[in-house]
């Protein structure tokens, strides 16, 4: 089925990783920004349902493939049956764990199918291992680990910096945001004094993760912070532009907004 196999067949480790990232981004959207839509589609009254991530960064909830064996490994069956039997956050975390396992299975299925050697398999694993798991993104564990790592690296950097150097932004803080904590606007141009510390800045902010797609922060991207869960998002992922952000007094990400609506 197209939902399982996707629109193209990767051949190299880099192409398999591209496929992996696309499927992963789509499934993270289902478990974060699109959580209300995902919740509704997982009706326990329906048959065994699976969550598929597609290479084009979208997702779908549908029945498993009919052919046996299927073209690709299948995701966990029956994710909808547990929906109303546990806390929503625990259910989402459970789906995330099984989705992580499925993504790895698909990636290394491609590796076996296309005869990857030891070096290609190592490259593929290292590229995948540099990304946080979906479980870490959904539960917030990735943010905690990121803060811990930044604190350690920030202390080491502070000890090695010259006292005459201009102080950089603290390592445990994401990109700058206005006093109202509404939006993170693109950072101002660097002056000559700051250029020498550009590499440190990139190291500090490069590990800031988007709560929607799980990708890293980049200096040329617009970001916005949720005032409820305090997670950062690409503006593009949550459909917020800098112009819209200027008129927002308190921003709530889709997951926090949907959760409040359901409680009401």
């Amino acid at each position: 089925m197209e939902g399982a196999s996707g629109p193209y067949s990767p051949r190299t480790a880099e192409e398999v990783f591209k496929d992996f990232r696309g499927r992963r981004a789509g499934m993270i959207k289902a478990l974060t920004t699109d959580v209300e839509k995902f919740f509704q589609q997982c009706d326990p009254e329906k048959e065994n349902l699976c969550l598929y991530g597609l290479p084009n960064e979208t997702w779908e909830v549908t029945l498993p493939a009919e052919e046996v064996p299927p073209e690709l490994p299948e995701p966990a069956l029956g994710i909808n049956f547990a929906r109303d039997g546990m806390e929503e956050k625990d259910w989402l975390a459970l789906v995330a764990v099984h989705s992580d396992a499925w993504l790895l299975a698909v990636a290394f299925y491609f590796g076996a199918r296309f005869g990857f050697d030891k070096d290609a398999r190592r490259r593929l694993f290292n590229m995948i291992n540099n990304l946080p798991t979906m479980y870490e993104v959904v539960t917030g564990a990735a943010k905690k680990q990121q803060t811990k790592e930044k604190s350690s690296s920030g202390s080491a950097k502070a000890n090695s910096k010259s006292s005459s150097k201009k102080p950089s932004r603290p390592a445990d803080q994401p990109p700058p945001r206005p006093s109202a904590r509404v939006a993170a606007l693109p950072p101002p141009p660097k002056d000559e004094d700051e250029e020498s510390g550009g590499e440190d800045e990139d190291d500090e902010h490069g590990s800031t993760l988007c709560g929607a797609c799980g990708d890293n922060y980049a200096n040329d991207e617009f970001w916005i912070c949720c005032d409820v869960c305090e997670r950062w998002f690409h503006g593009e992922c949550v459909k917020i532009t800098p112009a819209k952000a200027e008129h927002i007094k308190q921003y709530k990400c889709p997951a926090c907004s949907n959760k409040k609506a359901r409680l009401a």
Side-chain angles (χ1 to χ4, degrees), residues 39-59:
F39 185 90
Q40 293 175 353
Q41 290 190 22
C42 291
D43 186 350
E45 298 299 321
K46 296 181 180 178
E47 299 180 55
N48 285 293
L49 294 176
C50 300
L51 172 62
Y52 290 93
L54 308 183
N56 62 355
E57 301 187 5
T58 60
W59 61 273

Side-chain angles (χ1 to χ4, degrees), residues 17 22 58-59 111 159 187 211 224 258:
F17 180 63
T58 60
W59 61 273
N159 292 333
I224 188 166
N258 291 333

Side-chain angles (χ1 to χ4, degrees), residues 20-32 51-53 59 92-104 128 131-142 211-214 231:
F20 176 94
R21 286 193 63 170
R23 296 177 189 274
R24 173 181 174 274
M27 299 174 91
I28 287 178
K29 287 178 183 177
L31 300 175
T32 55
L51 172 62
Y52 290 93
W59 61 273
L92 292 173
L94 180 63
V95 175
V97 167
H98 286 290
S99 297
D100 279 320
W102 178 68
L103 283 175
L104 288 172
I128 291 174
L131 295 174
T133 64
M134 283 192 291
Y135 175 81
E136 290 172 329
V137 173
V138 171
T139 61
C213 69
R231 290 190 295 175

Side-chain angles (χ1 to χ4, degrees), residues 30-262:
L31 300 175
T32 55
T33 57
D34 296 345
V35 66
E36 178 66 20
K37 181 180 178 181
F38 173 64
F39 185 90
Q40 293 175 353
Q41 290 190 22
C42 291
D43 186 350
E45 298 299 321
K46 296 181 180 178
E47 299 180 55
N48 285 293
L49 294 176
C50 300
L51 172 62
Y52 290 93
L54 308 183
N56 62 355
E57 301 187 5
T58 60
W59 61 273
E60 66 176 351
V61 172
T62 186
L63 296 171
E66 295 182 358
E67 65 268 19
V68 178
E71 182 179 355
L72 291 182
E74 286 294 318
L77 300 176
I79 59 172
N80 50 315
F81 296 147
R83 191 196 72 177
D84 297 335
M86 60 178 70
E87 293 289 334
E88 181 180 312
K89 62 181 181 64
D90 295 330
W91 174 66
L92 292 173
L94 180 63
V95 175
V97 167
H98 286 290
S99 297
D100 279 320
W102 178 68
L103 283 175
L104 288 172
V106 171
F108 283 91
Y109 163 83
F110 281 132
R113 180 177 176 182
F114 298 119
F116 285 5
D117 59 17
K118 184 177 181 180
D119 180 65
R121 293 194 302 271
R122 182 185 293 112
R123 290 204 321 273
L124 175 59
F125 174 78
N126 288 338
M127 287 186 288
I128 291 174
N129 200 41
N130 284 331
L131 295 174
T133 64
M134 283 192 291
Y135 175 81
E136 290 172 329
V137 173
V138 171
T139 61
K143 183 178 179 181
K144 293 178 183 178
Q145 180 65 23
Q146 168 194 337
T147 301
K148 182 179 178 181
E149 291 175 354
K150 285 183 180 179
S151 298
S152 299
S153 62
S155 299
K157 289 177 182 178
N159 292 333
S160 64
K161 288 178 181 177
S162 168
S163 59
S164 62
K165 182 179 178 181
K166 293 179 68 176
S168 63
R169 194 178 303 117
D172 60 346
Q173 290 184 7
R177 54 185 175 184
S179 57
R181 299 178 65 242
V182 174
L185 298 177
K190 298 180 181 178
D191 58 33
E192 294 181 356
D193 293 337
E194 291 179 319
E195 287 182 357
S196 61
E199 185 175 347
D200 290 342
E201 291 285 331
D202 291 341
D203 290 342
E204 291 170 2
H205 309 313
S207 56
T208 300
L209 304 176
C210 173
C213 69
D215 279 349
N216 294 337
Y217 166 76
N219 285 336
D220 59 349
E221 294 178 316
F222 167 69
W223 280 52
I224 188 166
C225 180
C226 175
D227 286 289
V228 179
C229 65
E230 297 191 344
R231 290 190 295 175
W232 288 87
F233 300 86
H234 292 104
E236 183 178 353
C237 290
V238 292
K239 299 179 181 179
I240 297 293
T241 64
K244 288 183 180 179
E246 292 295 331
H247 302 287
I248 299 177
K249 294 183 178 180
Q250 183 182 49
Y251 175 69
K252 294 181 181 179
C253 69
C256 291
S257 298
N258 291 333
K259 185 179 296 184
K260 182 176 180 181
R262 284 198 297 276

